[in-house]
Amino acid sequence: MQGLIDHGVAGLHHLNKGHIDCMDSNYKIYFGLGQHLTLINTPEVFKVSVAGIKLGNYLTHTLAPDIPNRSFLDIGTGSGVHALLIRALGGHDIIATDISEKSIDQARLHEHINFNQAKISFLVSDLFNNIAGRKFHTIVFNPPGWRTPSPSLLQRLKAIELPGEIPIESMFYGEQVITRFLEDLPQYLEPTGKAIVGLNSLVGIRDVLSRYNQRHNGAPPLVYKLAERHTLPLLYYSANWKACRKHLTKEFEHWSSQDLATYCIDHNGNIYWSYEIIEFSLRTI
Ligand SMILES: C[S@@+](CC[C@H](N)C(=O)[O-])C[C@H]1O[C@@H](n2cnc3c(N)ncnc32)[C@H](O)[C@@H]1O
């Protein structure tokens, strides 16, 4: 929570108080253009992080004024934050999915809290599995940001896993999920559509993109460009994962030594990573 304030993300204020209070379970996020959302913090559902706020800000900056005529898919919606923001900005045709049923329940509740009436289709789905046959103008994905844990880290994470914490899949296995996402994406994009994806440098962006290019012999069906980049402090997201801090740091070191992750450490030992908002569209030539 502290990192949100320190890194200039204004507008995350808890309800009724107008200041940050970690004990509160409600929080309010402001994205610009007068758009804000009220969300409930539940341990099983990924709480909107600084990166999620940056992605929301980017959507607010860039989505065209003809948003009511466009179709949207928010994959890995978590709390529903970006689908709800798109609705607040005028979107009518919005589907949001998550592999976690608890997230989908929570996202539905958030739509009710913020808009009273249901309009967004919230579905449990592993990536595109339950949305066959549709194409979208804009697909948003803020995927899990860390790589697949090693067997020893996984064992530690499982050993301290308590019921009611966010699942490991919320943040780990990122390179596998993004790889599958990129392979499926072309068939779900309208010809002029784009996917707005927020990648964490602890997922191994170079590795994921270069393997993507290699699989398609240097001419993949998608082209991409970096739209924005932010350096953000590492958060541990759950008390359990924070308890594994030492082992997580070792894991990051190992990934980095193999050029599978990028980050830096300040003189106090704090880790900073790069959040990269990348736009993918269909290759035309
Ligand atoms: C980093 S969180 C982002 C949540 C939300 N979009 C946000 O920005 O706050 C990643 C989300 O992706 C979901 N997820 C992970 N693997 C997935 C998959 N294969 N298909 C759909 N959702 C997945 C997780 O459950 C989690 O809610």
Side-chain angles (χ1 to χ4, degrees):
M1 182 64 77
Q2 191 62 40
L4 297 180
I5 309 167
D6 285 346
H7 288 80
V9 181
L12 185 71
H13 298 292
H14 285 254
L15 290 178
N16 305 325
K17 291 187 179 174
H19 70 278
I20 304 279
D21 178 347
C22 294
M23 298 311 287
D24 260 356
S25 62
N26 289 349
Y27 58 111
K28 192 166 175 174
I29 307 175
Y30 183 68
F31 292 102
L33 291 180
Q35 302 304 340
H36 53 78
L37 295 170
T38 298
L39 303 174
I40 301 169
N41 184 24
T42 312
E44 298 101 319
V45 176
F46 193 88
K47 184 178 182 182
V48 182
S49 67
V50 189
I53 297 172
K54 298 279 185 204
L55 184 56
N57 290 341
Y58 181 75
L59 296 176
T60 308
H61 277 286
T62 58
L63 289 182
D66 64 347
I67 198 168
N69 307 317
R70 308 245 143 201
S71 49
F72 295 89
L73 172 64
D74 178 23
I75 293 201
T77 195
S79 61
V81 55
H82 299 118
L84 295 168
L85 174 63
I86 291 165
R87 174 172 173 176
L89 291 167
H92 292 302
D93 180 2
I94 310 165
I95 298 180
T97 69
D98 202 288
I99 201 163
S100 147
E101 200 169 335
K102 290 216 165 95
S103 290
I104 289 301
D105 290 345
Q106 183 78 1
R108 281 201 188 101
L109 174 64
H110 285 155
E111 185 176 34
H112 180 73
I113 291 170
N114 286 276
F115 300 97
N116 245 316
Q117 279 180 331
K119 188 191 265 184
I120 300 169
S121 298
F122 287 108
L123 305 174
V124 175
S125 176
D126 178 3
L127 295 179
F128 300 96
N129 280 2
N130 293 339
I131 32 180
R134 281 239 25 207
K135 290 191 187 284
F136 300 87
H137 292 107
T138 305
I139 296 177
V140 179
F141 191 22
N142 192 27
W146 299 343
R147 295 181 69 84
T148 300
S150 63
S152 62
L153 178 62
L154 187 60
Q155 205 177 13
R156 279 181 199 282
L157 292 168
K158 293 265 184 213
I160 59 164
E161 198 173 37
L162 295 169
E165 291 279 330
I166 48 171
I168 288 173
E169 291 73 19
S170 299
M171 203 55 199
F172 289 90
Y173 304 100
E175 86 287 7
Q176 297 187 36
V177 175
I178 297 160
T179 296
R180 284 197 292 126
F181 170 81
L182 292 179
E183 290 306 332
D184 291 347
L185 178 59
Q187 50 182 306
Y188 295 92
L189 274 181
E190 289 284 0
T192 57
K194 65 182 174 190
I196 301 172
V197 184
L199 293 186
N200 182 322
S201 60
L202 290 166
V203 91
I205 297 175
R206 190 204 57 76
D207 171 58
V208 168
L209 294 179
S210 64
R211 280 190 298 113
Y212 177 65
N213 281 310
Q214 277 163 23
R215 271 195 309 281
H216 295 276
N217 301 317
L222 296 166
V223 291
Y224 49 83
K225 65 171 187 195
L226 179 65
E228 269 188 15
R229 193 179 87 75
H230 302 276
T231 300
L232 300 178
L234 184 76
L235 299 179
Y236 291 93
Y237 303 103
S238 84
N240 280 358
W241 297 355
K242 195 166 187 177
C244 274
R245 187 187 187 126
K246 219 174 71 196
H247 305 284
L248 263 174
T249 305
K250 278 208 162 12
E251 193 89 350
F252 296 156
E253 276 168 19
H254 180 63
W255 296 342
S256 166
S257 72
Q258 297 181 303
D259 194 17
L260 295 175
T262 306
Y263 62 94
C264 60
I265 307 182
D266 71 10
H267 55 275
N268 292 319
N270 300 309
I271 293 177
Y272 293 84
W273 53 283
S274 171
Y275 183 60
E276 310 196 5
I277 299 178
I278 301 177
E279 289 197 355
F280 292 84
S281 52
L282 293 170
R283 180 184 292 277
T284 50
I285 42 159

